[in-house]
Each structure stands twice: as C-alpha cells, then as structure tokens.
Amino acid sequence: MGEIRTPMFEHTELFVRGVGEGTDVVQKEMYTFTDKGGRSMTLRPEMTAGVARAFIEHNLGQQTLPQRFYYIGPNFRYEKPAGGRQRQFHQFGAELYGSAEPAADAEMISLAYEFLKGAGLGNATLSINSLGGPECRAKANAALLEFLKNSYDQLCPVCQERSAKNPMRALDCKEKSCQAILADAPSPIDFLGEECKKHFDDLKTILDAMKIPYTIDPKLVRGLDYYTRTVFEFIDPGSGLAVCGGGRYDGLIEEVGGSSTPAVGFAMGLERIIQMLEQEGQPPQANETDIFVGSMGPEGYIKSQALANSLRKAGIRAISDLAKRGVKAQIRYADKIGARFSVIIGDSEIQSNQASIKEMKTGAKEDVGLDSLGEYLIGKIKA
Ligand code: HAM
C-alpha cells in the first residue's frame, strides 16, 4: 500500500458532486473561496473525493487493480467546535480501488480494526450496515418517504428539508423527536436486492472468520452521499463519537468523471483517537529516542557529537547534548525525551577509556570500552 498525497484544496465542484449536494458537509461545512482566476475552490473536508480525482487524472485505473492507497493529513469543516469536533482536524485513511468483492470491504475493516487495537483502542465498537446499490436505495427511500408521510410535520426542519432529496439521511438524525418517529422506520437493509444481500452476508461471514466483532446497525447511513452497499463506523463507547468511518463507494469514480471502478475505504480522526487515548489514561507518548549521548568537558563534547553522528548514520535515533548542561540536567533531559539508553562521555571516561551505558527505565548500567562503544550500541539497540 502506497501513500497518496492530494492537494489541500480542490475545485468546489468535486466535493459537490462527490460528497453530495444535499449533505451537511457540502451545504454547511465547507470553507469555500474564489481564487484570483475567479474559480471556486474548497479546503478539503475529507480526502476520498480528492483521491478519486487523482486516480482519474493520473490514469491509475490503467495499472494493475486492485490498488491500495493510504493518506494522512488535515481536513477542514466549518462545524461548531466542541468536544471531539474541530474545524481543522487530521485523518488517517485508506482506500482500495478495483474490487467489488466483500473481501475487499473486510480487508479495509480489518485494517482499521487492527490499527485501533494496536493503538490500544480495541474497545471501539464496530457497527456495520448495507445501503444496497442504487436500485435498493431507491426502494428504501420510497418506503421511508411513505412511512414519514404522516409525521412529516413533526420532523426537525433539517429532516424535512432532506426528506425530499435523500430521506435515508433522516435515519441518523440526532434530534430526540426525530429518533422517536424513526424508531420503527424501514431500514435500507430491508430492501436489499439478491446480490446486495449476498454481498452483505458474505462480508459478515468473512468478518466472523477474521474474528472481528461487530454489530449490525440498520440505522447507520453515514453523512456522505457516495456510499453504496457496505457502510461502517467504529464508535468510542465513552463519548459516543465515531473515531473511524468508511464504506464502499462503487459509483464515486464515475460520478466525478472516471470509468466505473468499485472502491472501498475508511478514514479515522486522529484528534479523536488521541482524545480517546487520553480518556483511557494512556496519552500517546513519543518514544522517539533510542539513546541520549551526553558529555562533560571539551574533549567529551566533541567525542559525544561524533558518537551520536555515527549512531544516527547507522539508523539509531541518537540525541546529543546541545545545551552544555550539567550532567544531572542532561540525564533529566534524556528522561524527558523518552530515551531508552543514555551514555555520558566526560574526562574520566576518556581517561579510563570506557563509558557506562544506562538503561533509563531500570537504571541498569553496563561498562563498555570507548573504542567499541559505537558498534556495541548499534548491536544492542538494533537487537
Ligand atoms: P467521515 O465519517 O466524515 O468520513 O470522517 C471520518 C472520521 O473523521 C470521523 O469518524 C471522525 O473520527 C473524523 N472527523 C470528521 N469530522 C471531524 C471533525 N470536525 N473534527 C474531528 N474529527 C472529525 C469521511 O471523511 C470519509 N472520507 C471516510 C471514507 C474513506 N469513506 C470511504 N473512504
């Protein structure tokens, strides 16, 4: 899987067509401006549409399919900033192009699941649903419209407005009054045609075989218009917020000007992941330093810089003292930057021609001759 980097802003039209004219994202949340050439541009509110545009523009469909991409970067939505909602936030996501197989959906779900588990967030709950293809959706929408006919006046203004274009979106309205009305509403899952039903059944079978726990949420519809068939979300049980959302979007590439290509993917909110980790009492820690190489005295200062440099050349994350602090302050610094090991080279080390490697966590020390110190450290840290 390779990284794909798309521009921070795109033509507004891409998001209107891709994400959907009737969505909150397009109607209310886009940062749109006119550039000096009079073109309407928009800071990307999400990355799937930009990846689709790049896929078409660079003829990636001509290469072997399926293809997988991942991305990480900032996105912009004019939402009310509140717990877990920022106007500039970061997403990590992945997209798989060129397979309509349920195994592709399962692969993307599994990737997100393993990533969250690896980050210590295995308790995020996975909900899945299927919206079906265009025909199933049309049937589901018609049934929902019929169901809402008599309670239209009691719906919130947003749902009233939406119900004309995409009544399905009312299903995930957060308004209590709408939720009460929609409790018994027909769900898209009740209108799946034979093929879409088989696709969803096969996906469930593969997830079971992969031992990925999930629940089926018939009301899960997602807020972006491009989804077909599978949709899914990982929810933080503490805040109830989605840390990850995704699904299949077999019509998007055609919608934005390419040839029909099935695709599936997800994106997760990095700020939400950090928030969840903090709530769980395990804030993410950058453990980015293998060794701190400190020094005392002018000769030790030079030797320590040379040692740190040769360690870095060997791929070791080595930090030397650049502040000429006292030894105690250097060790405190080594501790703060999360160094696994530290070593100090001062006059006495040079005289005895050996230095003491300290494992910061345990305090255990090991004396090694200066001449072989570099090589010894490389072996020890890489082991
Ligand atoms: P989304 O559900 O709109 O999907 O966003 C994905 C994730 O981004 C959310 O689950 C949440 O963690 C995070 N997120 C969204 N808005 C905000 C915000 N204002 N502040 C903080 N975090 C936020 C998409 O964007 C789709 N492009 C996902 C996808 C990829 N579907 C298929 N491929």
Side-chain angles (χ1 to χ4, degrees), residues 19-200:
V19 173
E21 208 168 354
T23 58
D24 278 357
V25 169
V26 168
Q27 281 189 349
K28 301 182 201 154
E29 296 169 3
M30 295 205 304
Y31 281 92
T32 298
F33 62 96
T34 308
D35 75 0
K36 286 191 176 139
R39 291 169 287 246
S40 178
M41 309 302 295
T42 293
L43 296 184
R44 62 185 185 202
E46 59 102 58
M47 287 157 93
T48 307
V51 172
R53 198 255 326 125
F55 182 84
I56 298 165
E57 199 169 317
H58 300 288
N59 286 321
L60 298 179
Q62 310 284 310
Q63 296 171 16
T64 320
L65 292 172
Q67 284 183 53
R68 297 156 176 86
F69 310 99
Y70 80 90
Y71 50 75
I72 177 165
N75 293 273
F76 307 85
R77 293 187 194 178
Y78 192 78
E79 290 193 82
K80 204 167 166 210
R85 239 187 290 127
Q86 288 87 23
R87 287 182 171 160
Q88 177 172 346
F89 59 98
H90 294 76
Q91 282 186 343
F92 159 71
E95 313 286 357
L96 191 156
Y97 276 54
S99 173
E101 286 297 313
D105 308 43
E107 181 184 316
M108 287 293 107
I109 291 175
S110 159
L111 181 60
Y113 174 70
E114 293 299 336
F115 181 93
L116 290 170
K117 222 165 74 170
L121 299 176
N123 59 342
T125 55
L126 168 63
S127 300
I128 62 170
N129 193 19
S130 177
L131 307 179
E135 281 175 26
C136 323
R137 281 178 80 136
K139 282 185 195 155
N141 271 330
L144 194 56
L145 264 186
E146 181 61 28
F147 174 86
L148 291 174
K149 209 170 56 187
N150 297 328
S151 26
Y152 179 84
D153 294 342
Q154 292 136 51
L155 290 174
C156 75
V158 179
C159 284
Q160 284 188 357
E161 192 190 315
R162 274 190 192 142
S163 57
K165 266 200 153 170
N166 190 1
M168 227 183 243
R169 284 297 324 281
L171 288 176
D172 75 347
C173 179
K174 302 287 176 277
E175 290 290 327
K176 287 240 153 54
S177 52
C178 291
Q179 282 182 354
I181 295 167
L182 288 154
D184 300 320
S187 146
I189 211 171
D190 305 326
F191 297 90
L192 297 182
E194 218 168 282
E195 276 181 38
C196 290
K197 188 175 175 311
K198 180 166 175 3
H199 193 276
F200 194 48

Side-chain angles (χ1 to χ4, degrees), residues 226-284:
Y226 46 64
Y227 293 111
T228 51
R229 297 190 167 171
T230 314
V231 286
F232 59 90
E233 270 179 2
F234 286 86
I235 309 285
D236 164 23
S239 65
L241 286 170
V243 283
C244 173
R248 174 164 283 287
Y249 49 95
D250 292 345
L252 175 67
I253 291 98
E254 210 172 356
E255 180 65 42
V256 296
S259 50
S260 171
T261 310
V264 57
F266 68 82
M268 42 183 83
L270 296 184
E271 285 80 2
R272 289 200 186 164
I273 287 176
I274 292 168
Q275 182 185 324
M276 202 173 153
L277 285 169
E278 280 169 353
Q279 275 163 9
E280 311 246 318
Q282 43 167 345

